[in-house]
Amino acid sequence: KQEVTQIPAALSVPEGENLVLNCSFTDSAIYNLQWFRQDPGKGLTSLLLIQSSQREQTSGRLNASLDKSSGRSTLYIAASQPGDSATYLCAVRPSNDYKLSFGAGTTVTVRA
Amino acid sequence: SQTIHQWPATLVQPVGSPLSLECTVEGTSNPNLYWYRQAAGRGLQLLFYSVGIGQISSEVPQNLSASRPQDRQFILSSKKLLLSDSGFYLCAWDRGYNSPLHFGNGTRLTVT
């Protein structure tokens, strides 16, 4: 069974600092990995999707890397802003399966 | 562009009452549709998914059911709600294994 872990569960940083969020998974046989953002009381917003054949994916200030063999992904957010405060979740899609396995998320607070 | 609508946003229902949550997707055809539940401390749990009209796969045996009467409409139902059905229900869609998963804004259900 795929287990997805996100550590730490929460972190607080001053504005302008770069954010590094970690995601680890136990089964390397994945099809792709997604990072999501969730604001309080809202649904999840897809940030980045990395296919298993890719090493990284970038969108604006966001960069996500994937090391499938070691079961790790990292989401980097450059020059953090208070508006980046949210919970960030990662999810892996097993090969040929509709069911994603989600991590519990990391709640980020960016202090002004 | 594609959008997903989910309603109602909040719902308070007594134990034993029926439930009907609706979700519709616009701007795409033949999407895969999903119902998730997010409970505090338990992460995201996949309840049902559908890859076509009338086709429903259940992930968790419970007193909930799902139906897909039209291509872009997904309904979550219950005949008699339990206290344990309280939670945040999220509808989502994607276009297949290679595409990102997109969520609605969710329904906060409280069973009293």
Side-chain angles (χ1 to χ4, degrees), chain A residues 31-32 34 36 38 41-44 46 49 51 93 96-99 102, chain B residues 32 34 36 38 44 49 51 59 88 90 94 97-98 100-101 103-105:
Chain A
Y31 201 80
N32 54 45
Q34 273 186 257
F36 296 88
Q38 185 174 28
K42 300 293 186 182
L44 283 69
S46 179
L49 172 70
Q51 302 295 349
R93 187 188 294 277
N96 299 322
D97 194 342
Y98 290 100
K99 183 177 179 179
F102 283 83
Chain B
N32 300 322
Y34 306 81
Y36 282 87
Q38 188 175 36
L44 272 155
Y49 69 90
V51 298
E59 287 293 312
F88 192 47
L90 292 154
D94 66 23
Y97 297 142
N98 277 326
L101 188 63
F103 285 84
N105 277 330

PDB file of all heavy atoms in Angstrom, chain A residues 31-32 34 36 38 41-44 46 49 51 93 96-99 102, chain B residues 32 34 36 38 44 49 51 59 88 90 94 97-98 100-101 103-105:
ATOM      1  N   TYR A  31       2.875   6.818 -11.466  1.00  0.00           N
ATOM      2  CA  TYR A  31       2.653   7.364 -12.810  1.00  0.00           C
ATOM      3  C   TYR A  31       3.000   8.848 -12.838  1.00  0.00           C
ATOM      4  O   TYR A  31       3.605   9.348 -13.771  1.00  0.00           O
ATOM      5  CB  TYR A  31       1.197   7.145 -13.195  1.00  0.00           C
ATOM      6  CG  TYR A  31       0.946   7.187 -14.670  1.00  0.00           C
ATOM      7  CD1 TYR A  31       1.225   6.083 -15.474  1.00  0.00           C
ATOM      8  CD2 TYR A  31       0.427   8.333 -15.268  1.00  0.00           C
ATOM      9  CE1 TYR A  31       1.005   6.126 -16.834  1.00  0.00           C
ATOM     10  CE2 TYR A  31       0.207   8.375 -16.626  1.00  0.00           C
ATOM     11  CZ  TYR A  31       0.487   7.271 -17.397  1.00  0.00           C
ATOM     12  OH  TYR A  31       0.280   7.324 -18.745  1.00  0.00           O
ATOM     13  N   ASN A  32       2.570   9.566 -11.811  1.00  0.00           N
ATOM     14  CA  ASN A  32       2.929  10.969 -11.678  1.00  0.00           C
ATOM     15  C   ASN A  32       2.712  11.430 -10.243  1.00  0.00           C
ATOM     16  O   ASN A  32       2.198  10.675  -9.398  1.00  0.00           O
ATOM     17  CB  ASN A  32       2.168  11.862 -12.670  1.00  0.00           C
ATOM     18  CG  ASN A  32       0.663  11.694 -12.590  1.00  0.00           C
ATOM     19  OD1 ASN A  32       0.091  11.664 -11.509  1.00  0.00           O
ATOM     20  ND2 ASN A  32       0.017  11.599 -13.745  1.00  0.00           N
ATOM     21  N   GLN A  34       1.495  15.049  -7.967  1.00  0.00           N
ATOM     22  CA  GLN A  34       0.913  16.392  -8.035  1.00  0.00           C
ATOM     23  C   GLN A  34       1.110  17.116  -6.717  1.00  0.00           C
ATOM     24  O   GLN A  34       1.052  16.498  -5.645  1.00  0.00           O
ATOM     25  CB  GLN A  34      -0.602  16.306  -8.285  1.00  0.00           C
ATOM     26  CG  GLN A  34      -0.986  16.222  -9.737  1.00  0.00           C
ATOM     27  CD  GLN A  34      -2.480  16.292  -9.937  1.00  0.00           C
ATOM     28  OE1 GLN A  34      -3.143  15.315 -10.177  1.00  0.00           O
ATOM     29  NE2 GLN A  34      -3.025  17.496  -9.813  1.00  0.00           N
ATOM     30  N   PHE A  36      -0.640  20.307  -4.569  1.00  0.00           N
ATOM     31  CA  PHE A  36      -1.846  21.103  -4.458  1.00  0.00           C
ATOM     32  C   PHE A  36      -1.686  22.144  -3.352  1.00  0.00           C
ATOM     33  O   PHE A  36      -0.910  21.959  -2.411  1.00  0.00           O
ATOM     34  CB  PHE A  36      -3.058  20.222  -4.080  1.00  0.00           C
ATOM     35  CG  PHE A  36      -3.440  19.188  -5.089  1.00  0.00           C
ATOM     36  CD1 PHE A  36      -2.851  17.932  -5.061  1.00  0.00           C
ATOM     37  CD2 PHE A  36      -4.396  19.452  -6.053  1.00  0.00           C
ATOM     38  CE1 PHE A  36      -3.215  16.959  -5.972  1.00  0.00           C
ATOM     39  CE2 PHE A  36      -4.774  18.482  -6.972  1.00  0.00           C
ATOM     40  CZ  PHE A  36      -4.172  17.245  -6.934  1.00  0.00           C
ATOM     41  N   GLN A  38      -4.255  24.281  -0.608  1.00  0.00           N
ATOM     42  CA  GLN A  38      -5.606  24.371  -0.063  1.00  0.00           C
ATOM     43  C   GLN A  38      -5.676  25.528   0.925  1.00  0.00           C
ATOM     44  O   GLN A  38      -4.950  25.553   1.917  1.00  0.00           O
ATOM     45  CB  GLN A  38      -6.023  23.067   0.634  1.00  0.00           C
ATOM     46  CG  GLN A  38      -7.471  23.088   1.094  1.00  0.00           C
ATOM     47  CD  GLN A  38      -7.947  21.768   1.661  1.00  0.00           C
ATOM     48  OE1 GLN A  38      -7.179  20.986   2.196  1.00  0.00           O
ATOM     49  NE2 GLN A  38      -9.258  21.494   1.529  1.00  0.00           N
ATOM     50  N   GLY A  41     -11.066  26.131   4.390  1.00  0.00           N
ATOM     51  CA  GLY A  41     -12.464  26.040   3.997  1.00  0.00           C
ATOM     52  C   GLY A  41     -12.698  25.951   2.500  1.00  0.00           C
ATOM     53  O   GLY A  41     -13.853  26.031   2.052  1.00  0.00           O
ATOM     54  N   LYS A  42     -11.630  25.776   1.719  1.00  0.00           N
ATOM     55  CA  LYS A  42     -11.753  25.738   0.264  1.00  0.00           C
ATOM     56  C   LYS A  42     -11.319  24.385  -0.286  1.00  0.00           C
ATOM     57  O   LYS A  42     -10.757  23.549   0.406  1.00  0.00           O
ATOM     58  CB  LYS A  42     -10.893  26.843  -0.361  1.00  0.00           C
ATOM     59  CG  LYS A  42     -11.268  28.249   0.083  1.00  0.00           C
ATOM     60  CD  LYS A  42     -12.629  28.651  -0.418  1.00  0.00           C
ATOM     61  CE  LYS A  42     -12.947  30.107  -0.091  1.00  0.00           C
ATOM     62  NZ  LYS A  42     -14.305  30.492  -0.552  1.00  0.00           N
ATOM     63  N   GLY A  43     -11.565  24.203  -1.566  1.00  0.00           N
ATOM     64  CA  GLY A  43     -11.088  23.005  -2.232  1.00  0.00           C
ATOM     65  C   GLY A  43      -9.607  23.101  -2.536  1.00  0.00           C
ATOM     66  O   GLY A  43      -8.948  24.090  -2.221  1.00  0.00           O
ATOM     67  N   LEU A  44      -9.071  22.060  -3.153  1.00  0.00           N
ATOM     68  CA  LEU A  44      -7.658  22.020  -3.507  1.00  0.00           C
ATOM     69  C   LEU A  44      -7.448  22.619  -4.883  1.00  0.00           C
ATOM     70  O   LEU A  44      -8.244  22.387  -5.797  1.00  0.00           O
ATOM     71  CB  LEU A  44      -7.147  20.575  -3.503  1.00  0.00           C
ATOM     72  CG  LEU A  44      -6.868  19.911  -2.156  1.00  0.00           C
ATOM     73  CD1 LEU A  44      -8.125  19.639  -1.370  1.00  0.00           C
ATOM     74  CD2 LEU A  44      -6.066  18.632  -2.358  1.00  0.00           C
ATOM     75  N   SER A  46      -4.743  22.695  -7.998  1.00  0.00           N
ATOM     76  CA  SER A  46      -3.568  22.025  -8.544  1.00  0.00           C
ATOM     77  C   SER A  46      -2.480  23.039  -8.860  1.00  0.00           C
ATOM     78  O   SER A  46      -2.730  24.042  -9.531  1.00  0.00           O
ATOM     79  CB  SER A  46      -3.960  21.254  -9.805  1.00  0.00           C
ATOM     80  OG  SER A  46      -2.838  20.619 -10.367  1.00  0.00           O
ATOM     81  N   LEU A  49       2.108  19.327 -11.810  1.00  0.00           N
ATOM     82  CA  LEU A  49       2.021  17.886 -12.065  1.00  0.00           C
ATOM     83  C   LEU A  49       3.339  17.450 -12.664  1.00  0.00           C
ATOM     84  O   LEU A  49       3.788  18.030 -13.664  1.00  0.00           O
ATOM     85  CB  LEU A  49       0.872  17.583 -13.027  1.00  0.00           C
ATOM     86  CG  LEU A  49       0.757  16.156 -13.549  1.00  0.00           C
ATOM     87  CD1 LEU A  49       0.313  15.220 -12.438  1.00  0.00           C
ATOM     88  CD2 LEU A  49      -0.210  16.064 -14.716  1.00  0.00           C
ATOM     89  N   GLN A  51       5.323  14.229 -14.250  1.00  0.00           N
ATOM     90  CA  GLN A  51       5.222  12.853 -14.735  1.00  0.00           C
ATOM     91  C   GLN A  51       6.407  12.055 -14.195  1.00  0.00           C
ATOM     92  O   GLN A  51       7.460  12.617 -13.869  1.00  0.00           O
ATOM     93  CB  GLN A  51       5.206  12.824 -16.256  1.00  0.00           C
ATOM     94  CG  GLN A  51       4.082  13.622 -16.897  1.00  0.00           C
ATOM     95  CD  GLN A  51       2.702  13.083 -16.590  1.00  0.00           C
ATOM     96  OE1 GLN A  51       2.541  11.982 -16.054  1.00  0.00           O
ATOM     97  NE2 GLN A  51       1.676  13.850 -16.907  1.00  0.00           N
ATOM     98  N   ARG A  93       0.024   9.256  -8.048  1.00  0.00           N
ATOM     99  CA  ARG A  93      -0.873   8.376  -8.785  1.00  0.00           C
ATOM    100  C   ARG A  93      -0.108   7.103  -9.116  1.00  0.00           C
ATOM    101  O   ARG A  93       0.920   7.162  -9.799  1.00  0.00           O
ATOM    102  CB  ARG A  93      -1.360   9.026 -10.076  1.00  0.00           C
ATOM    103  CG  ARG A  93      -2.435   8.191 -10.777  1.00  0.00           C
ATOM    104  CD  ARG A  93      -2.745   8.753 -12.145  1.00  0.00           C
ATOM    105  NE  ARG A  93      -3.368  10.057 -12.105  1.00  0.00           N
ATOM    106  CZ  ARG A  93      -4.677  10.286 -11.930  1.00  0.00           C
ATOM    107  NH1 ARG A  93      -5.491   9.259 -11.784  1.00  0.00           N
ATOM    108  NH2 ARG A  93      -5.149  11.506 -11.940  1.00  0.00           N
ATOM    109  N   ASN A  96      -1.320   3.159 -13.688  1.00  0.00           N
ATOM    110  CA  ASN A  96      -2.581   2.609 -14.178  1.00  0.00           C
ATOM    111  C   ASN A  96      -3.648   2.493 -13.092  1.00  0.00           C
ATOM    112  O   ASN A  96      -4.294   1.451 -12.942  1.00  0.00           O
ATOM    113  CB  ASN A  96      -2.357   1.235 -14.816  1.00  0.00           C
ATOM    114  CG  ASN A  96      -1.414   1.339 -15.997  1.00  0.00           C
ATOM    115  OD1 ASN A  96      -1.469   2.292 -16.755  1.00  0.00           O
ATOM    116  ND2 ASN A  96      -0.534   0.375 -16.128  1.00  0.00           N
ATOM    117  N   ASP A  97      -3.832   3.566 -12.339  1.00  0.00           N
ATOM    118  CA  ASP A  97      -4.855   3.557 -11.291  1.00  0.00           C
ATOM    119  C   ASP A  97      -5.440   4.952 -11.184  1.00  0.00           C
ATOM    120  O   ASP A  97      -4.725   5.951 -11.297  1.00  0.00           O
ATOM    121  CB  ASP A  97      -4.241   3.132  -9.949  1.00  0.00           C
ATOM    122  CG  ASP A  97      -5.289   2.775  -8.923  1.00  0.00           C
ATOM    123  OD1 ASP A  97      -6.462   3.169  -9.099  1.00  0.00           O
ATOM    124  OD2 ASP A  97      -4.952   2.093  -7.939  1.00  0.00           O
ATOM    125  N   TYR A  98      -6.771   5.006 -10.972  1.00  0.00           N
ATOM    126  CA  TYR A  98      -7.415   6.307 -10.832  1.00  0.00           C
ATOM    127  C   TYR A  98      -7.264   6.887  -9.438  1.00  0.00           C
ATOM    128  O   TYR A  98      -7.517   8.051  -9.217  1.00  0.00           O
ATOM    129  CB  TYR A  98      -8.911   6.178 -11.151  1.00  0.00           C
ATOM    130  CG  TYR A  98      -9.172   5.922 -12.616  1.00  0.00           C
ATOM    131  CD1 TYR A  98      -9.438   4.649 -13.083  1.00  0.00           C
ATOM    132  CD2 TYR A  98      -9.126   6.969 -13.530  1.00  0.00           C
ATOM    133  CE1 TYR A  98      -9.654   4.422 -14.421  1.00  0.00           C
ATOM    134  CE2 TYR A  98      -9.350   6.748 -14.877  1.00  0.00           C
ATOM    135  CZ  TYR A  98      -9.615   5.468 -15.315  1.00  0.00           C
ATOM    136  OH  TYR A  98      -9.824   5.249 -16.645  1.00  0.00           O
ATOM    137  N   LYS A  99      -6.874   6.042  -8.483  1.00  0.00           N
ATOM    138  CA  LYS A  99      -6.891   6.460  -7.089  1.00  0.00           C
ATOM    139  C   LYS A  99      -5.569   7.099  -6.696  1.00  0.00           C
ATOM    140  O   LYS A  99      -4.542   6.430  -6.659  1.00  0.00           O
ATOM    141  CB  LYS A  99      -7.171   5.249  -6.200  1.00  0.00           C
ATOM    142  CG  LYS A  99      -7.276   5.574  -4.736  1.00  0.00           C
ATOM    143  CD  LYS A  99      -7.621   4.325  -3.934  1.00  0.00           C
ATOM    144  CE  LYS A  99      -7.704   4.626  -2.446  1.00  0.00           C
ATOM    145  NZ  LYS A  99      -8.050   3.428  -1.660  1.00  0.00           N
ATOM    146  N   PHE A 102      -2.832  10.638  -1.081  1.00  0.00           N
ATOM    147  CA  PHE A 102      -2.506  11.983  -0.632  1.00  0.00           C
ATOM    148  C   PHE A 102      -1.691  11.966   0.646  1.00  0.00           C
ATOM    149  O   PHE A 102      -1.896  11.115   1.528  1.00  0.00           O
ATOM    150  CB  PHE A 102      -3.784  12.775  -0.355  1.00  0.00           C
ATOM    151  CG  PHE A 102      -4.475  13.285  -1.576  1.00  0.00           C
ATOM    152  CD1 PHE A 102      -5.334  12.479  -2.303  1.00  0.00           C
ATOM    153  CD2 PHE A 102      -4.258  14.591  -2.013  1.00  0.00           C
ATOM    154  CE1 PHE A 102      -5.964  12.940  -3.445  1.00  0.00           C
ATOM    155  CE2 PHE A 102      -4.896  15.076  -3.150  1.00  0.00           C
ATOM    156  CZ  PHE A 102      -5.750  14.251  -3.860  1.00  0.00           C
TER     157      PHE A 102
ATOM    158  N   ASN B  32     -13.349  12.186 -16.071  1.00  0.00           N
ATOM    159  CA  ASN B  32     -13.418  11.286 -14.926  1.00  0.00           C
ATOM    160  C   ASN B  32     -13.875  12.134 -13.738  1.00  0.00           C
ATOM    161  O   ASN B  32     -13.400  13.257 -13.560  1.00  0.00           O
ATOM    162  CB  ASN B  32     -12.050  10.677 -14.611  1.00  0.00           C
ATOM    163  CG  ASN B  32     -11.496   9.880 -15.759  1.00  0.00           C
ATOM    164  OD1 ASN B  32     -12.226   9.187 -16.469  1.00  0.00           O
ATOM    165  ND2 ASN B  32     -10.203   9.997 -15.989  1.00  0.00           N
ATOM    166  N   TYR B  34     -14.885  12.368  -9.466  1.00  0.00           N
ATOM    167  CA  TYR B  34     -14.520  11.788  -8.174  1.00  0.00           C
ATOM    168  C   TYR B  34     -15.278  12.484  -7.033  1.00  0.00           C
ATOM    169  O   TYR B  34     -15.535  13.694  -7.107  1.00  0.00           O
ATOM    170  CB  TYR B  34     -13.019  11.968  -7.900  1.00  0.00           C
ATOM    171  CG  TYR B  34     -12.099  11.462  -8.981  1.00  0.00           C
ATOM    172  CD1 TYR B  34     -11.837  12.218 -10.116  1.00  0.00           C
ATOM    173  CD2 TYR B  34     -11.459  10.226  -8.854  1.00  0.00           C
ATOM    174  CE1 TYR B  34     -10.978  11.752 -11.108  1.00  0.00           C
ATOM    175  CE2 TYR B  34     -10.597   9.760  -9.832  1.00  0.00           C
ATOM    176  CZ  TYR B  34     -10.361  10.532 -10.956  1.00  0.00           C
ATOM    177  OH  TYR B  34      -9.510  10.067 -11.932  1.00  0.00           O
ATOM    178  N   TYR B  36     -14.508  12.928  -2.962  1.00  0.00           N
ATOM    179  CA  TYR B  36     -13.592  12.737  -1.841  1.00  0.00           C
ATOM    180  C   TYR B  36     -14.241  13.282  -0.570  1.00  0.00           C
ATOM    181  O   TYR B  36     -15.084  14.182  -0.617  1.00  0.00           O
ATOM    182  CB  TYR B  36     -12.282  13.507  -2.060  1.00  0.00           C
ATOM    183  CG  TYR B  36     -11.297  12.876  -3.006  1.00  0.00           C
ATOM    184  CD1 TYR B  36     -11.366  13.115  -4.377  1.00  0.00           C
ATOM    185  CD2 TYR B  36     -10.270  12.070  -2.531  1.00  0.00           C
ATOM    186  CE1 TYR B  36     -10.445  12.549  -5.248  1.00  0.00           C
ATOM    187  CE2 TYR B  36      -9.342  11.500  -3.393  1.00  0.00           C
ATOM    188  CZ  TYR B  36      -9.434  11.752  -4.747  1.00  0.00           C
ATOM    189  OH  TYR B  36      -8.515  11.198  -5.605  1.00  0.00           O
ATOM    190  N   GLN B  38     -12.897  14.825   3.206  1.00  0.00           N
ATOM    191  CA  GLN B  38     -11.741  15.267   3.986  1.00  0.00           C
ATOM    192  C   GLN B  38     -12.206  15.464   5.422  1.00  0.00           C
ATOM    193  O   GLN B  38     -13.043  16.327   5.697  1.00  0.00           O
ATOM    194  CB  GLN B  38     -11.169  16.566   3.416  1.00  0.00           C
ATOM    195  CG  GLN B  38      -9.864  16.989   4.043  1.00  0.00           C
ATOM    196  CD  GLN B  38      -9.292  18.221   3.337  1.00  0.00           C
ATOM    197  OE1 GLN B  38     -10.028  19.107   2.904  1.00  0.00           O
ATOM    198  NE2 GLN B  38      -7.970  18.280   3.215  1.00  0.00           N
ATOM    199  N   LEU B  44      -7.435  13.038   2.948  1.00  0.00           N
ATOM    200  CA  LEU B  44      -8.414  12.914   1.867  1.00  0.00           C
ATOM    201  C   LEU B  44      -8.711  11.445   1.597  1.00  0.00           C
ATOM    202  O   LEU B  44      -7.805  10.644   1.371  1.00  0.00           O
ATOM    203  CB  LEU B  44      -7.879  13.565   0.601  1.00  0.00           C
ATOM    204  CG  LEU B  44      -8.176  15.048   0.467  1.00  0.00           C
ATOM    205  CD1 LEU B  44      -7.173  15.717  -0.421  1.00  0.00           C
ATOM    206  CD2 LEU B  44      -9.572  15.238  -0.095  1.00  0.00           C
ATOM    207  N   TYR B  49     -15.578   7.031  -7.760  1.00  0.00           N
ATOM    208  CA  TYR B  49     -15.124   7.641  -8.990  1.00  0.00           C
ATOM    209  C   TYR B  49     -15.893   7.045 -10.149  1.00  0.00           C
ATOM    210  O   TYR B  49     -16.433   5.932 -10.060  1.00  0.00           O
ATOM    211  CB  TYR B  49     -13.613   7.530  -9.180  1.00  0.00           C
ATOM    212  CG  TYR B  49     -13.073   6.146  -9.440  1.00  0.00           C
ATOM    213  CD1 TYR B  49     -12.939   5.648 -10.732  1.00  0.00           C
ATOM    214  CD2 TYR B  49     -12.640   5.341  -8.380  1.00  0.00           C
ATOM    215  CE1 TYR B  49     -12.412   4.388 -10.966  1.00  0.00           C
ATOM    216  CE2 TYR B  49     -12.120   4.087  -8.613  1.00  0.00           C
ATOM    217  CZ  TYR B  49     -11.998   3.615  -9.892  1.00  0.00           C
ATOM    218  OH  TYR B  49     -11.483   2.359 -10.122  1.00  0.00           O
ATOM    219  N   VAL B  51     -15.786   6.839 -14.613  1.00  0.00           N
ATOM    220  CA  VAL B  51     -15.094   7.108 -15.867  1.00  0.00           C
ATOM    221  C   VAL B  51     -16.081   7.264 -17.018  1.00  0.00           C
ATOM    222  O   VAL B  51     -15.668   7.471 -18.164  1.00  0.00           O
ATOM    223  CB  VAL B  51     -14.054   6.018 -16.191  1.00  0.00           C
ATOM    224  CG1 VAL B  51     -12.982   5.981 -15.103  1.00  0.00           C
ATOM    225  CG2 VAL B  51     -14.705   4.660 -16.374  1.00  0.00           C
ATOM    226  N   GLU B  59     -15.109   3.041  -3.402  1.00  0.00           N
ATOM    227  CA  GLU B  59     -13.854   2.731  -2.729  1.00  0.00           C
ATOM    228  C   GLU B  59     -14.050   2.335  -1.276  1.00  0.00           C
ATOM    229  O   GLU B  59     -13.240   1.638  -0.698  1.00  0.00           O
ATOM    230  CB  GLU B  59     -12.905   3.934  -2.794  1.00  0.00           C
ATOM    231  CG  GLU B  59     -12.316   4.160  -4.171  1.00  0.00           C
ATOM    232  CD  GLU B  59     -11.368   3.035  -4.569  1.00  0.00           C
ATOM    233  OE1 GLU B  59     -10.495   2.665  -3.771  1.00  0.00           O
ATOM    234  OE2 GLU B  59     -11.530   2.502  -5.689  1.00  0.00           O
ATOM    235  N   PHE B  88     -16.011  17.273   5.141  1.00  0.00           N
ATOM    236  CA  PHE B  88     -15.885  18.194   4.004  1.00  0.00           C
ATOM    237  C   PHE B  88     -15.844  17.336   2.754  1.00  0.00           C
ATOM    238  O   PHE B  88     -14.915  16.549   2.549  1.00  0.00           O
ATOM    239  CB  PHE B  88     -14.603  19.018   4.199  1.00  0.00           C
ATOM    240  CG  PHE B  88     -14.472  20.186   3.272  1.00  0.00           C
ATOM    241  CD1 PHE B  88     -15.522  21.061   3.060  1.00  0.00           C
ATOM    242  CD2 PHE B  88     -13.263  20.440   2.628  1.00  0.00           C
ATOM    243  CE1 PHE B  88     -15.388  22.157   2.215  1.00  0.00           C
ATOM    244  CE2 PHE B  88     -13.116  21.532   1.786  1.00  0.00           C
ATOM    245  CZ  PHE B  88     -14.175  22.389   1.575  1.00  0.00           C
ATOM    246  N   LEU B  90     -15.650  16.833  -1.278  1.00  0.00           N
ATOM    247  CA  LEU B  90     -15.048  17.489  -2.430  1.00  0.00           C
ATOM    248  C   LEU B  90     -15.302  16.685  -3.691  1.00  0.00           C
ATOM    249  O   LEU B  90     -15.057  15.482  -3.730  1.00  0.00           O
ATOM    250  CB  LEU B  90     -13.542  17.647  -2.227  1.00  0.00           C
ATOM    251  CG  LEU B  90     -13.127  18.627  -1.127  1.00  0.00           C
ATOM    252  CD1 LEU B  90     -11.765  18.270  -0.582  1.00  0.00           C
ATOM    253  CD2 LEU B  90     -13.130  20.039  -1.674  1.00  0.00           C
ATOM    254  N   ASP B  94     -10.820  14.947 -13.744  1.00  0.00           N
ATOM    255  CA  ASP B  94      -9.615  15.007 -14.579  1.00  0.00           C
ATOM    256  C   ASP B  94      -9.914  14.365 -15.926  1.00  0.00           C
ATOM    257  O   ASP B  94     -10.997  13.842 -16.146  1.00  0.00           O
ATOM    258  CB  ASP B  94      -8.398  14.387 -13.886  1.00  0.00           C
ATOM    259  CG  ASP B  94      -8.506  12.876 -13.653  1.00  0.00           C
ATOM    260  OD1 ASP B  94      -9.277  12.189 -14.376  1.00  0.00           O
ATOM    261  OD2 ASP B  94      -7.839  12.367 -12.735  1.00  0.00           O
ATOM    262  N   TYR B  97      -5.075   9.695 -16.701  1.00  0.00           N
ATOM    263  CA  TYR B  97      -3.897   9.539 -15.849  1.00  0.00           C
ATOM    264  C   TYR B  97      -2.908  10.690 -15.993  1.00  0.00           C
ATOM    265  O   TYR B  97      -2.241  11.058 -15.035  1.00  0.00           O
ATOM    266  CB  TYR B  97      -3.147   8.248 -16.186  1.00  0.00           C
ATOM    267  CG  TYR B  97      -3.922   6.990 -15.949  1.00  0.00           C
ATOM    268  CD1 TYR B  97      -3.803   5.913 -16.820  1.00  0.00           C
ATOM    269  CD2 TYR B  97      -4.761   6.849 -14.848  1.00  0.00           C
ATOM    270  CE1 TYR B  97      -4.487   4.742 -16.598  1.00  0.00           C
ATOM    271  CE2 TYR B  97      -5.452   5.682 -14.630  1.00  0.00           C
ATOM    272  CZ  TYR B  97      -5.313   4.624 -15.516  1.00  0.00           C
ATOM    273  OH  TYR B  97      -5.986   3.461 -15.314  1.00  0.00           O
ATOM    274  N   ASN B  98      -2.788  11.241 -17.182  1.00  0.00           N
ATOM    275  CA  ASN B  98      -1.766  12.255 -17.436  1.00  0.00           C
ATOM    276  C   ASN B  98      -2.156  13.667 -17.061  1.00  0.00           C
ATOM    277  O   ASN B  98      -1.334  14.577 -17.133  1.00  0.00           O
ATOM    278  CB  ASN B  98      -1.402  12.264 -18.930  1.00  0.00           C
ATOM    279  CG  ASN B  98      -0.388  11.206 -19.268  1.00  0.00           C
ATOM    280  OD1 ASN B  98       0.483  10.905 -18.464  1.00  0.00           O
ATOM    281  ND2 ASN B  98      -0.505  10.637 -20.450  1.00  0.00           N
ATOM    282  N   PRO B 100      -3.936  16.820 -14.630  1.00  0.00           N
ATOM    283  CA  PRO B 100      -4.090  17.190 -13.223  1.00  0.00           C
ATOM    284  C   PRO B 100      -5.522  17.002 -12.744  1.00  0.00           C
ATOM    285  O   PRO B 100      -6.464  17.006 -13.532  1.00  0.00           O
ATOM    286  CB  PRO B 100      -3.677  18.664 -13.194  1.00  0.00           C
ATOM    287  CG  PRO B 100      -3.803  19.139 -14.592  1.00  0.00           C
ATOM    288  CD  PRO B 100      -3.585  17.958 -15.482  1.00  0.00           C
ATOM    289  N   LEU B 101      -5.652  16.825 -11.449  1.00  0.00           N
ATOM    290  CA  LEU B 101      -6.950  16.686 -10.812  1.00  0.00           C
ATOM    291  C   LEU B 101      -7.414  18.061 -10.359  1.00  0.00           C
ATOM    292  O   LEU B 101      -6.657  18.793  -9.712  1.00  0.00           O
ATOM    293  CB  LEU B 101      -6.836  15.724  -9.624  1.00  0.00           C
ATOM    294  CG  LEU B 101      -8.121  15.288  -8.929  1.00  0.00           C
ATOM    295  CD1 LEU B 101      -9.007  14.503  -9.886  1.00  0.00           C
ATOM    296  CD2 LEU B 101      -7.788  14.437  -7.706  1.00  0.00           C
ATOM    297  N   PHE B 103     -10.375  20.311  -8.322  1.00  0.00           N
ATOM    298  CA  PHE B 103     -11.380  20.187  -7.276  1.00  0.00           C
ATOM    299  C   PHE B 103     -12.387  21.331  -7.295  1.00  0.00           C
ATOM    300  O   PHE B 103     -12.069  22.461  -7.677  1.00  0.00           O
ATOM    301  CB  PHE B 103     -10.710  20.166  -5.892  1.00  0.00           C
ATOM    302  CG  PHE B 103     -10.028  18.874  -5.557  1.00  0.00           C
ATOM    303  CD1 PHE B 103      -8.741  18.614  -5.990  1.00  0.00           C
ATOM    304  CD2 PHE B 103     -10.683  17.916  -4.783  1.00  0.00           C
ATOM    305  CE1 PHE B 103      -8.110  17.415  -5.676  1.00  0.00           C
ATOM    306  CE2 PHE B 103     -10.058  16.723  -4.454  1.00  0.00           C
ATOM    307  CZ  PHE B 103      -8.770  16.473  -4.908  1.00  0.00           C
ATOM    308  N   GLY B 104     -13.602  21.023  -6.822  1.00  0.00           N
ATOM    309  CA  GLY B 104     -14.574  22.051  -6.537  1.00  0.00           C
ATOM    310  C   GLY B 104     -14.283  22.681  -5.185  1.00  0.00           C
ATOM    311  O   GLY B 104     -13.310  22.319  -4.519  1.00  0.00           O
ATOM    312  N   ASN B 105     -15.114  23.620  -4.776  1.00  0.00           N
ATOM    313  CA  ASN B 105     -14.889  24.331  -3.524  1.00  0.00           C
ATOM    314  C   ASN B 105     -15.384  23.588  -2.295  1.00  0.00           C
ATOM    315  O   ASN B 105     -15.181  24.058  -1.175  1.00  0.00           O
ATOM    316  CB  ASN B 105     -15.535  25.714  -3.585  1.00  0.00           C
ATOM    317  CG  ASN B 105     -14.643  26.723  -4.288  1.00  0.00           C
ATOM    318  OD1 ASN B 105     -13.417  26.624  -4.244  1.00  0.00           O
ATOM    319  ND2 ASN B 105     -15.264  27.671  -4.960  1.00  0.00           N
TER     320      ASN B 105
END
